[in-house]
Amino acid sequence: MKTTFDMFIETEVPEDELIVSRTDFTGKITYVNETFAEISGYKPEELIGKPHNVIRHPDMPRSAFADLWATVERGDTWEGYVKNRRKDGGYYWVFARVSTVIKDGKAVEYKSVREPVSREKKIEIQNLYDKLRAEEEGTTRVVLYVKNDKLEAAEALEE
């Protein structure tokens, strides 16, 4: 159970920069640009070789990623809104385009290019994703204030 404020701190993606990464076909990161490293709070070497879901935020519905994988495995480009978790527990929103990289006529990896999202769109998509998680996964995001002597009991409920 998180008891720090860090998870509520949003990092804004700069308007004039793109976040870029590449993965192999299993989702392991093979390349990140400096903007990705900076925004996510990781060093590039901490990300290379890790599964891309190392930055998956728990607010993201599983169905969004199921759709992403189904789309790119067909060879199509997936576009959508993603809330990612930073290394420090904070978060950032992006609009992502994920596509297959073709070299010499052969698919070699996936590439994702991400850009900032407006405040209004973040609110709209957060509400949609909360609804999807509740319907599809039976999970709801909450903030809970409990007496210190009841903290253990609240942590047990999380299981």
Side-chain angles (χ1 to χ4, degrees):
M1 175 177 289
K2 289 210 174 248
T3 58
T4 67
F5 184 73
D6 293 347
M7 66 182 170
F8 295 112
I9 297 176
E10 180 178 4
T11 298
E12 294 285 337
V13 175
E15 286 292 327
D16 59 343
E17 296 191 42
L18 295 175
I19 296 171
V20 180
S21 62
R22 293 192 306 259
T23 70
D24 65 18
F25 293 124
T26 68
K28 286 198 175 107
I29 299 170
T30 60
Y31 167 83
V32 298
N33 70 348
E34 284 297 321
T35 302
F36 183 0
E38 183 178 326
I39 297 298
S40 70
Y42 288 93
K43 294 178 181 161
E45 58 271 16
E46 291 178 290
L47 292 165
I48 303 298
K50 297 283 191 291
H52 208 285
N53 66 10
V54 71
I55 60 166
R56 182 176 295 176
H57 195 281
D59 282 358
M60 287 297 300
R62 289 186 189 122
S63 61
F65 291 104
D67 181 59
L68 181 155
W69 280 107
T71 301
V72 296
E73 285 173 355
R74 280 194 314 268
D76 295 332
T77 298
W78 182 87
E79 294 184 346
Y81 295 93
V82 179
K83 185 177 188 179
N84 286 324
R85 182 171 27 196
R86 290 176 38 87
K87 182 179 179 181
D88 64 10
Y91 67 95
Y92 60 100
W93 280 97
V94 293
F95 178 75
R97 287 180 186 84
V98 183
S99 59
T100 304
V101 175
I102 308 291
K103 287 188 181 173
D104 299 323
K106 183 180 176 196
V108 295
E109 62 188 351
Y110 297 125
K111 174 178 68 176
S112 179
V113 178
R114 287 146 347 250
E115 59 191 61
V117 178
S118 71
R119 180 179 186 281
E120 295 77 18
K121 186 55 83 171
K122 290 175 196 176
I123 293 167
E124 174 189 336
I125 299 301
Q126 180 69 65
N127 288 329
L128 171 64
Y129 286 176
D130 286 347
K131 182 178 183 234
L132 287 174
R133 273 191 347 280
E135 292 171 356
E136 297 169 2
E137 302 166 31
T139 61
T140 302
R141 179 171 50 108
V142 299
V143 175
L144 181 64
Y145 295 92
V146 297
K147 298 274 187 195
N148 290 342
D149 63 341
K150 304 290 186 207
L151 189 57
E152 267 186 49
E155 287 174 337
L157 289 174
E158 190 176 27
E159 301 300 314

mmCIF file of all heavy atoms in Angstrom, residues 76-118:
data_model
loop_
_atom_site.group_PDB
_atom_site.id
_atom_site.type_symbol
_atom_site.label_atom_id
_atom_site.label_comp_id
_atom_site.label_asym_id
_atom_site.label_seq_id
_atom_site.Cartn_x
_atom_site.Cartn_y
_atom_site.Cartn_z
ATOM 1 N N ASP A 76 -0.574 -3.372 -38.311
ATOM 2 C CA ASP A 76 -1.187 -2.047 -38.354
ATOM 3 C C ASP A 76 -0.559 -1.142 -37.288
ATOM 4 O O ASP A 76 0.086 -1.612 -36.349
ATOM 5 C CB ASP A 76 -2.690 -2.148 -38.102
ATOM 6 C CG ASP A 76 -3.405 -2.917 -39.203
ATOM 7 O OD1 ASP A 76 -2.921 -2.906 -40.355
ATOM 8 O OD2 ASP A 76 -4.448 -3.535 -38.914
ATOM 9 N N THR A 77 -0.785 0.154 -37.423
ATOM 10 C CA THR A 77 -0.320 1.131 -36.437
ATOM 11 C C THR A 77 -1.393 1.325 -35.383
ATOM 12 O O THR A 77 -2.563 1.532 -35.706
ATOM 13 C CB THR A 77 -0.006 2.478 -37.114
ATOM 14 O OG1 THR A 77 1.055 2.278 -38.053
ATOM 15 C CG2 THR A 77 0.406 3.531 -36.094
ATOM 16 N N TRP A 78 -0.993 1.244 -34.117
ATOM 17 C CA TRP A 78 -1.909 1.487 -32.998
ATOM 18 C C TRP A 78 -1.722 2.910 -32.523
ATOM 19 O O TRP A 78 -0.586 3.403 -32.407
ATOM 20 C CB TRP A 78 -1.633 0.518 -31.857
ATOM 21 C CG TRP A 78 -2.567 0.679 -30.691
ATOM 22 C CD1 TRP A 78 -3.780 0.082 -30.531
ATOM 23 C CD2 TRP A 78 -2.364 1.477 -29.519
ATOM 24 N NE1 TRP A 78 -4.353 0.464 -29.338
ATOM 25 C CE2 TRP A 78 -3.494 1.327 -28.700
ATOM 26 C CE3 TRP A 78 -1.340 2.320 -29.085
ATOM 27 C CZ2 TRP A 78 -3.633 1.970 -27.465
ATOM 28 C CZ3 TRP A 78 -1.470 2.963 -27.861
ATOM 29 C CH2 TRP A 78 -2.611 2.783 -27.068
ATOM 30 N N GLU A 79 -2.812 3.592 -32.247
ATOM 31 C CA GLU A 79 -2.776 4.936 -31.670
ATOM 32 C C GLU A 79 -3.672 4.961 -30.455
ATOM 33 O O GLU A 79 -4.781 4.405 -30.483
ATOM 34 C CB GLU A 79 -3.263 5.982 -32.675
ATOM 35 C CG GLU A 79 -2.375 6.144 -33.869
ATOM 36 C CD GLU A 79 -2.845 7.260 -34.788
ATOM 37 O OE1 GLU A 79 -3.994 7.738 -34.647
ATOM 38 O OE2 GLU A 79 -2.050 7.671 -35.648
ATOM 39 N N GLY A 80 -3.201 5.602 -29.392
ATOM 40 C CA GLY A 80 -4.034 5.707 -28.206
ATOM 41 C C GLY A 80 -3.358 6.484 -27.095
ATOM 42 O O GLY A 80 -2.191 6.868 -27.184
ATOM 43 N N TYR A 81 -4.122 6.702 -26.041
ATOM 44 C CA TYR A 81 -3.663 7.457 -24.881
ATOM 45 C C TYR A 81 -3.166 6.494 -23.818
ATOM 46 O O TYR A 81 -3.806 5.489 -23.525
ATOM 47 C CB TYR A 81 -4.808 8.315 -24.333
ATOM 48 C CG TYR A 81 -5.230 9.364 -25.327
ATOM 49 C CD1 TYR A 81 -6.260 9.118 -26.225
ATOM 50 C CD2 TYR A 81 -4.565 10.579 -25.399
ATOM 51 C CE1 TYR A 81 -6.632 10.059 -27.162
ATOM 52 C CE2 TYR A 81 -4.925 11.534 -26.336
ATOM 53 C CZ TYR A 81 -5.954 11.267 -27.212
ATOM 54 O OH TYR A 81 -6.310 12.206 -28.148
ATOM 55 N N VAL A 82 -2.010 6.832 -23.249
ATOM 56 C CA VAL A 82 -1.378 5.951 -22.278
ATOM 57 C C VAL A 82 -0.927 6.768 -21.067
ATOM 58 O O VAL A 82 -0.326 7.828 -21.207
ATOM 59 C CB VAL A 82 -0.156 5.225 -22.888
ATOM 60 C CG1 VAL A 82 0.519 4.327 -21.867
ATOM 61 C CG2 VAL A 82 -0.558 4.436 -24.123
ATOM 62 N N LYS A 83 -1.240 6.238 -19.897
ATOM 63 C CA LYS A 83 -0.730 6.794 -18.640
ATOM 64 C C LYS A 83 0.400 5.880 -18.201
ATOM 65 O O LYS A 83 0.203 4.677 -18.017
ATOM 66 C CB LYS A 83 -1.836 6.827 -17.582
ATOM 67 C CG LYS A 83 -1.410 7.494 -16.285
ATOM 68 C CD LYS A 83 -2.591 7.546 -15.312
ATOM 69 C CE LYS A 83 -2.272 8.367 -14.087
ATOM 70 N NZ LYS A 83 -3.443 8.427 -13.172
ATOM 71 N N ASN A 84 1.595 6.434 -18.081
ATOM 72 C CA ASN A 84 2.771 5.667 -17.693
ATOM 73 C C ASN A 84 3.217 6.027 -16.284
ATOM 74 O O ASN A 84 3.004 7.154 -15.821
ATOM 75 C CB ASN A 84 3.930 5.941 -18.650
ATOM 76 C CG ASN A 84 3.728 5.269 -19.990
ATOM 77 O OD1 ASN A 84 3.194 4.179 -20.076
ATOM 78 N ND2 ASN A 84 4.162 5.938 -21.041
ATOM 79 N N ARG A 85 3.860 5.063 -15.628
ATOM 80 C CA ARG A 85 4.385 5.294 -14.278
ATOM 81 C C ARG A 85 5.875 5.587 -14.371
ATOM 82 O O ARG A 85 6.623 4.894 -15.043
ATOM 83 C CB ARG A 85 4.155 4.067 -13.404
ATOM 84 C CG ARG A 85 4.652 4.300 -11.996
ATOM 85 C CD ARG A 85 4.310 3.253 -10.990
ATOM 86 N NE ARG A 85 4.104 1.930 -11.525
ATOM 87 C CZ ARG A 85 3.506 0.969 -10.855
ATOM 88 N NH1 ARG A 85 3.049 1.172 -9.655
ATOM 89 N NH2 ARG A 85 3.365 -0.223 -11.389
ATOM 90 N N ARG A 86 6.276 6.635 -13.660
ATOM 91 C CA ARG A 86 7.686 6.993 -13.563
ATOM 92 C C ARG A 86 8.399 6.095 -12.541
ATOM 93 O O ARG A 86 7.760 5.455 -11.715
ATOM 94 C CB ARG A 86 7.833 8.448 -13.115
ATOM 95 C CG ARG A 86 7.412 9.475 -14.157
ATOM 96 C CD ARG A 86 7.492 10.898 -13.611
ATOM 97 N NE ARG A 86 8.615 11.120 -12.741
ATOM 98 C CZ ARG A 86 9.843 11.485 -13.151
ATOM 99 N NH1 ARG A 86 10.085 11.648 -14.433
ATOM 100 N NH2 ARG A 86 10.812 11.662 -12.274
ATOM 101 N N LYS A 87 9.699 6.105 -12.575
ATOM 102 C CA LYS A 87 10.507 5.329 -11.628
ATOM 103 C C LYS A 87 10.191 5.727 -10.187
ATOM 104 O O LYS A 87 10.160 4.879 -9.294
ATOM 105 C CB LYS A 87 11.990 5.526 -11.926
ATOM 106 C CG LYS A 87 12.906 4.720 -11.042
ATOM 107 C CD LYS A 87 14.365 4.946 -11.397
ATOM 108 C CE LYS A 87 15.260 4.140 -10.476
ATOM 109 N NZ LYS A 87 16.681 4.369 -10.812
ATOM 110 N N ASP A 88 9.928 7.010 -9.944
ATOM 111 C CA ASP A 88 9.661 7.497 -8.585
ATOM 112 C C ASP A 88 8.213 7.289 -8.145
ATOM 113 O O ASP A 88 7.822 7.713 -7.060
ATOM 114 C CB ASP A 88 10.053 8.968 -8.455
ATOM 115 C CG ASP A 88 9.238 9.903 -9.345
ATOM 116 O OD1 ASP A 88 8.222 9.483 -9.958
ATOM 117 O OD2 ASP A 88 9.614 11.091 -9.442
ATOM 118 N N GLY A 89 7.395 6.648 -8.981
ATOM 119 C CA GLY A 89 6.003 6.400 -8.631
ATOM 120 C C GLY A 89 5.041 7.423 -9.196
ATOM 121 O O GLY A 89 3.827 7.205 -9.179
ATOM 122 N N GLY A 90 5.547 8.533 -9.673
ATOM 123 C CA GLY A 90 4.702 9.537 -10.321
ATOM 124 C C GLY A 90 4.225 9.020 -11.675
ATOM 125 O O GLY A 90 4.384 7.838 -11.992
ATOM 126 N N TYR A 91 3.659 9.902 -12.478
ATOM 127 C CA TYR A 91 3.105 9.466 -13.755
ATOM 128 C C TYR A 91 3.201 10.557 -14.801
ATOM 129 O O TYR A 91 3.491 11.716 -14.497
ATOM 130 C CB TYR A 91 1.647 9.020 -13.593
ATOM 131 C CG TYR A 91 0.712 10.154 -13.247
ATOM 132 C CD1 TYR A 91 0.005 10.825 -14.239
ATOM 133 C CD2 TYR A 91 0.545 10.581 -11.932
ATOM 134 C CE1 TYR A 91 -0.838 11.877 -13.929
ATOM 135 C CE2 TYR A 91 -0.302 11.623 -11.613
ATOM 136 C CZ TYR A 91 -0.987 12.266 -12.612
ATOM 137 O OH TYR A 91 -1.823 13.317 -12.297
ATOM 138 N N TYR A 92 2.956 10.153 -16.065
ATOM 139 C CA TYR A 92 2.858 11.095 -17.178
ATOM 140 C C TYR A 92 1.955 10.495 -18.241
ATOM 141 O O TYR A 92 1.852 9.288 -18.384
ATOM 142 C CB TYR A 92 4.239 11.441 -17.751
ATOM 143 C CG TYR A 92 5.012 10.266 -18.294
ATOM 144 C CD1 TYR A 92 5.049 10.005 -19.660
ATOM 145 C CD2 TYR A 92 5.716 9.427 -17.447
ATOM 146 C CE1 TYR A 92 5.762 8.929 -20.159
ATOM 147 C CE2 TYR A 92 6.438 8.351 -17.938
ATOM 148 C CZ TYR A 92 6.462 8.110 -19.291
ATOM 149 O OH TYR A 92 7.163 7.042 -19.786
ATOM 150 N N TRP A 93 1.243 11.357 -18.945
ATOM 151 C CA TRP A 93 0.318 10.958 -20.013
ATOM 152 C C TRP A 93 0.951 11.216 -21.371
ATOM 153 O O TRP A 93 1.638 12.230 -21.566
ATOM 154 C CB TRP A 93 -0.959 11.785 -19.942
ATOM 155 C CG TRP A 93 -1.941 11.330 -18.928
ATOM 156 C CD1 TRP A 93 -2.093 11.831 -17.666
ATOM 157 C CD2 TRP A 93 -2.926 10.313 -19.078
ATOM 158 N NE1 TRP A 93 -3.120 11.173 -17.027
ATOM 159 C CE2 TRP A 93 -3.647 10.236 -17.876
ATOM 160 C CE3 TRP A 93 -3.265 9.436 -20.122
ATOM 161 C CZ2 TRP A 93 -4.698 9.335 -17.685
ATOM 162 C CZ3 TRP A 93 -4.302 8.552 -19.931
ATOM 163 C CH2 TRP A 93 -5.004 8.510 -18.720
ATOM 164 N N VAL A 94 0.677 10.323 -22.320
ATOM 165 C CA VAL A 94 1.139 10.514 -23.695
ATOM 166 C C VAL A 94 0.077 10.035 -24.673
ATOM 167 O O VAL A 94 -0.761 9.196 -24.332
ATOM 168 C CB VAL A 94 2.457 9.752 -23.974
ATOM 169 C CG1 VAL A 94 3.607 10.334 -23.176
ATOM 170 C CG2 VAL A 94 2.307 8.260 -23.723
ATOM 171 N N PHE A 95 0.132 10.585 -25.874
ATOM 172 C CA PHE A 95 -0.585 10.017 -27.004
ATOM 173 C C PHE A 95 0.457 9.230 -27.781
ATOM 174 O O PHE A 95 1.478 9.790 -28.203
ATOM 175 C CB PHE A 95 -1.212 11.098 -27.891
ATOM 176 C CG PHE A 95 -1.924 10.512 -29.082
ATOM 177 C CD1 PHE A 95 -3.150 9.888 -28.928
ATOM 178 C CD2 PHE A 95 -1.347 10.559 -30.339
ATOM 179 C CE1 PHE A 95 -3.806 9.327 -30.018
ATOM 180 C CE2 PHE A 95 -1.993 10.008 -31.438
ATOM 181 C CZ PHE A 95 -3.221 9.389 -31.271
ATOM 182 N N ALA A 96 0.237 7.925 -27.939
ATOM 183 C CA ALA A 96 1.245 7.041 -28.525
ATOM 184 C C ALA A 96 0.827 6.529 -29.888
ATOM 185 O O ALA A 96 -0.354 6.260 -30.122
ATOM 186 C CB ALA A 96 1.493 5.862 -27.587
ATOM 187 N N ARG A 97 1.822 6.381 -30.747
ATOM 188 C CA ARG A 97 1.671 5.694 -32.029
ATOM 189 C C ARG A 97 2.703 4.576 -32.034
ATOM 190 O O ARG A 97 3.901 4.844 -31.923
ATOM 191 C CB ARG A 97 1.931 6.632 -33.197
ATOM 192 C CG ARG A 97 0.842 7.629 -33.437
ATOM 193 C CD ARG A 97 1.173 8.546 -34.625
ATOM 194 N NE ARG A 97 0.174 9.569 -34.740
ATOM 195 C CZ ARG A 97 0.192 10.717 -34.043
ATOM 196 N NH1 ARG A 97 1.152 10.971 -33.201
ATOM 197 N NH2 ARG A 97 -0.768 11.599 -34.208
ATOM 198 N N VAL A 98 2.224 3.346 -32.152
ATOM 199 C CA VAL A 98 3.112 2.181 -32.138
ATOM 200 C C VAL A 98 2.993 1.492 -33.484
ATOM 201 O O VAL A 98 1.881 1.187 -33.936
ATOM 202 C CB VAL A 98 2.744 1.203 -30.995
ATOM 203 C CG1 VAL A 98 3.721 0.038 -30.955
ATOM 204 C CG2 VAL A 98 2.710 1.930 -29.649
ATOM 205 N N SER A 99 4.144 1.247 -34.119
ATOM 206 C CA SER A 99 4.131 0.635 -35.447
ATOM 207 C C SER A 99 5.309 -0.313 -35.594
ATOM 208 O O SER A 99 6.239 -0.314 -34.795
ATOM 209 C CB SER A 99 4.189 1.720 -36.525
ATOM 210 O OG SER A 99 5.368 2.495 -36.376
ATOM 211 N N THR A 100 5.250 -1.097 -36.651
ATOM 212 C CA THR A 100 6.312 -2.046 -36.965
ATOM 213 C C THR A 100 7.383 -1.348 -37.798
ATOM 214 O O THR A 100 7.066 -0.601 -38.720
ATOM 215 C CB THR A 100 5.736 -3.238 -37.765
ATOM 216 O OG1 THR A 100 4.667 -3.807 -37.001
ATOM 217 C CG2 THR A 100 6.785 -4.291 -38.024
ATOM 218 N N VAL A 101 8.640 -1.615 -37.457
ATOM 219 C CA VAL A 101 9.770 -1.100 -38.234
ATOM 220 C C VAL A 101 10.124 -2.160 -39.279
ATOM 221 O O VAL A 101 10.329 -3.329 -38.943
ATOM 222 C CB VAL A 101 10.985 -0.806 -37.325
ATOM 223 C CG1 VAL A 101 12.182 -0.383 -38.160
ATOM 224 C CG2 VAL A 101 10.631 0.254 -36.293
ATOM 225 N N ILE A 102 10.173 -1.729 -40.535
ATOM 226 C CA ILE A 102 10.494 -2.617 -41.648
ATOM 227 C C ILE A 102 11.866 -2.234 -42.201
ATOM 228 O O ILE A 102 12.110 -1.060 -42.505
ATOM 229 C CB ILE A 102 9.443 -2.509 -42.784
ATOM 230 C CG1 ILE A 102 8.017 -2.698 -42.252
ATOM 231 C CG2 ILE A 102 9.774 -3.452 -43.926
ATOM 232 C CD1 ILE A 102 7.695 -4.080 -41.774
ATOM 233 N N LYS A 103 12.753 -3.223 -42.308
ATOM 234 C CA LYS A 103 14.069 -3.000 -42.922
ATOM 235 C C LYS A 103 14.273 -4.070 -43.987
ATOM 236 O O LYS A 103 14.088 -5.261 -43.709
ATOM 237 C CB LYS A 103 15.182 -3.081 -41.878
ATOM 238 C CG LYS A 103 15.228 -1.885 -40.951
ATOM 239 C CD LYS A 103 16.447 -1.912 -40.065
ATOM 240 C CE LYS A 103 16.415 -0.699 -39.143
ATOM 241 N NZ LYS A 103 17.469 -0.749 -38.158
ATOM 242 N N ASP A 104 14.634 -3.632 -45.177
ATOM 243 C CA ASP A 104 14.844 -4.552 -46.295
ATOM 244 C C ASP A 104 13.647 -5.476 -46.502
ATOM 245 O O ASP A 104 13.804 -6.679 -46.756
ATOM 246 C CB ASP A 104 16.125 -5.380 -46.089
ATOM 247 C CG ASP A 104 17.366 -4.498 -45.999
ATOM 248 O OD1 ASP A 104 17.419 -3.487 -46.729
ATOM 249 O OD2 ASP A 104 18.249 -4.823 -45.187
ATOM 250 N N GLY A 105 12.432 -4.909 -46.340
ATOM 251 C CA GLY A 105 11.216 -5.652 -46.567
ATOM 252 C C GLY A 105 10.828 -6.620 -45.456
ATOM 253 O O GLY A 105 9.872 -7.375 -45.597
ATOM 254 N N LYS A 106 11.560 -6.569 -44.340
ATOM 255 C CA LYS A 106 11.302 -7.506 -43.248
ATOM 256 C C LYS A 106 11.008 -6.751 -41.955
ATOM 257 O O LYS A 106 11.683 -5.772 -41.628
ATOM 258 C CB LYS A 106 12.525 -8.407 -43.048
ATOM 259 C CG LYS A 106 12.346 -9.447 -41.989
ATOM 260 C CD LYS A 106 13.595 -10.300 -41.847
ATOM 261 C CE LYS A 106 13.373 -11.269 -40.699
ATOM 262 N NZ LYS A 106 14.600 -11.859 -40.229
ATOM 263 N N ALA A 107 9.991 -7.213 -41.207
ATOM 264 C CA ALA A 107 9.681 -6.626 -39.905
ATOM 265 C C ALA A 107 10.806 -6.964 -38.933
ATOM 266 O O ALA A 107 11.193 -8.134 -38.813
ATOM 267 C CB ALA A 107 8.353 -7.168 -39.390
ATOM 268 N N VAL A 108 11.336 -5.927 -38.251
ATOM 269 C CA VAL A 108 12.476 -6.165 -37.360
ATOM 270 C C VAL A 108 12.212 -5.780 -35.908
ATOM 271 O O VAL A 108 12.878 -6.302 -35.009
ATOM 272 C CB VAL A 108 13.756 -5.456 -37.865
ATOM 273 C CG1 VAL A 108 14.211 -6.057 -39.192
ATOM 274 C CG2 VAL A 108 13.546 -3.961 -37.997
ATOM 275 N N GLU A 109 11.289 -4.860 -35.667
ATOM 276 C CA GLU A 109 11.003 -4.432 -34.295
ATOM 277 C C GLU A 109 9.785 -3.516 -34.306
ATOM 278 O O GLU A 109 9.229 -3.209 -35.356
ATOM 279 C CB GLU A 109 12.200 -3.727 -33.667
ATOM 280 C CG GLU A 109 12.613 -2.456 -34.380
ATOM 281 C CD GLU A 109 13.915 -1.861 -33.860
ATOM 282 O OE1 GLU A 109 14.440 -2.326 -32.840
ATOM 283 O OE2 GLU A 109 14.414 -0.923 -34.491
ATOM 284 N N TYR A 110 9.375 -3.078 -33.111
ATOM 285 C CA TYR A 110 8.307 -2.093 -32.972
ATOM 286 C C TYR A 110 8.903 -0.761 -32.538
ATOM 287 O O TYR A 110 9.894 -0.716 -31.801
ATOM 288 C CB TYR A 110 7.280 -2.530 -31.927
ATOM 289 C CG TYR A 110 6.546 -3.797 -32.273
ATOM 290 C CD1 TYR A 110 6.531 -4.871 -31.396
ATOM 291 C CD2 TYR A 110 5.848 -3.927 -33.475
ATOM 292 C CE1 TYR A 110 5.846 -6.044 -31.701
ATOM 293 C CE2 TYR A 110 5.164 -5.088 -33.791
ATOM 294 C CZ TYR A 110 5.169 -6.143 -32.895
ATOM 295 O OH TYR A 110 4.496 -7.291 -33.201
ATOM 296 N N LYS A 111 8.261 0.305 -32.995
ATOM 297 C CA LYS A 111 8.675 1.657 -32.618
ATOM 298 C C LYS A 111 7.468 2.376 -32.044
ATOM 299 O O LYS A 111 6.358 2.262 -32.562
ATOM 300 C CB LYS A 111 9.194 2.407 -33.843
ATOM 301 C CG LYS A 111 9.507 3.879 -33.578
ATOM 302 C CD LYS A 111 10.054 4.576 -34.802
ATOM 303 C CE LYS A 111 8.994 4.693 -35.861
ATOM 304 N NZ LYS A 111 9.383 5.426 -37.046
ATOM 305 N N SER A 112 7.702 3.137 -30.963
ATOM 306 C CA SER A 112 6.645 3.950 -30.371
ATOM 307 C C SER A 112 7.110 5.395 -30.308
ATOM 308 O O SER A 112 8.207 5.677 -29.819
ATOM 309 C CB SER A 112 6.312 3.444 -28.962
ATOM 310 O OG SER A 112 5.313 4.253 -28.382
ATOM 311 N N VAL A 113 6.273 6.272 -30.819
ATOM 312 C CA VAL A 113 6.526 7.716 -30.761
ATOM 313 C C VAL A 113 5.375 8.321 -29.980
ATOM 314 O O VAL A 113 4.206 8.090 -30.290
ATOM 315 C CB VAL A 113 6.618 8.333 -32.174
ATOM 316 C CG1 VAL A 113 6.833 9.830 -32.097
ATOM 317 C CG2 VAL A 113 7.726 7.661 -32.980
ATOM 318 N N ARG A 114 5.725 9.068 -28.922
ATOM 319 C CA ARG A 114 4.701 9.607 -28.036
ATOM 320 C C ARG A 114 4.835 11.116 -27.911
ATOM 321 O O ARG A 114 5.922 11.660 -27.988
ATOM 322 C CB ARG A 114 4.823 8.926 -26.667
ATOM 323 C CG ARG A 114 4.314 7.523 -26.801
ATOM 324 C CD ARG A 114 4.923 6.420 -26.017
ATOM 325 N NE ARG A 114 6.138 6.447 -25.292
ATOM 326 C CZ ARG A 114 7.224 5.770 -25.663
ATOM 327 N NH1 ARG A 114 7.275 5.133 -26.801
ATOM 328 N NH2 ARG A 114 8.275 5.740 -24.898
ATOM 329 N N GLU A 115 3.668 11.754 -27.712
ATOM 330 C CA GLU A 115 3.616 13.206 -27.614
ATOM 331 C C GLU A 115 2.697 13.611 -26.467
ATOM 332 O O GLU A 115 1.967 12.783 -25.925
ATOM 333 C CB GLU A 115 3.145 13.799 -28.946
ATOM 334 C CG GLU A 115 1.792 13.308 -29.378
ATOM 335 C CD GLU A 115 1.464 13.696 -30.813
ATOM 336 O OE1 GLU A 115 2.195 13.289 -31.739
ATOM 337 O OE2 GLU A 115 0.456 14.407 -30.992
ATOM 338 N N PRO A 116 2.725 14.895 -26.096
ATOM 339 C CA PRO A 116 1.924 15.371 -24.957
ATOM 340 C C PRO A 116 0.420 15.253 -25.196
ATOM 341 O O PRO A 116 -0.039 15.126 -26.329
ATOM 342 C CB PRO A 116 2.309 16.845 -24.822
ATOM 343 C CG PRO A 116 3.466 17.079 -25.709
ATOM 344 C CD PRO A 116 3.517 15.960 -26.705
ATOM 345 N N VAL A 117 -0.314 15.326 -24.090
ATOM 346 C CA VAL A 117 -1.772 15.242 -24.092
ATOM 347 C C VAL A 117 -2.319 16.466 -23.352
ATOM 348 O O VAL A 117 -1.778 16.866 -22.321
ATOM 349 C CB VAL A 117 -2.234 13.947 -23.377
ATOM 350 C CG1 VAL A 117 -3.742 13.854 -23.323
ATOM 351 C CG2 VAL A 117 -1.639 12.721 -24.052
ATOM 352 N N SER A 118 -3.408 17.034 -23.854
ATOM 353 C CA SER A 118 -4.012 18.202 -23.202
ATOM 354 C C SER A 118 -4.645 17.806 -21.865
ATOM 355 O O SER A 118 -5.026 16.642 -21.661
ATOM 356 C CB SER A 118 -5.089 18.829 -24.093
ATOM 357 O OG SER A 118 -6.225 17.983 -24.139
#
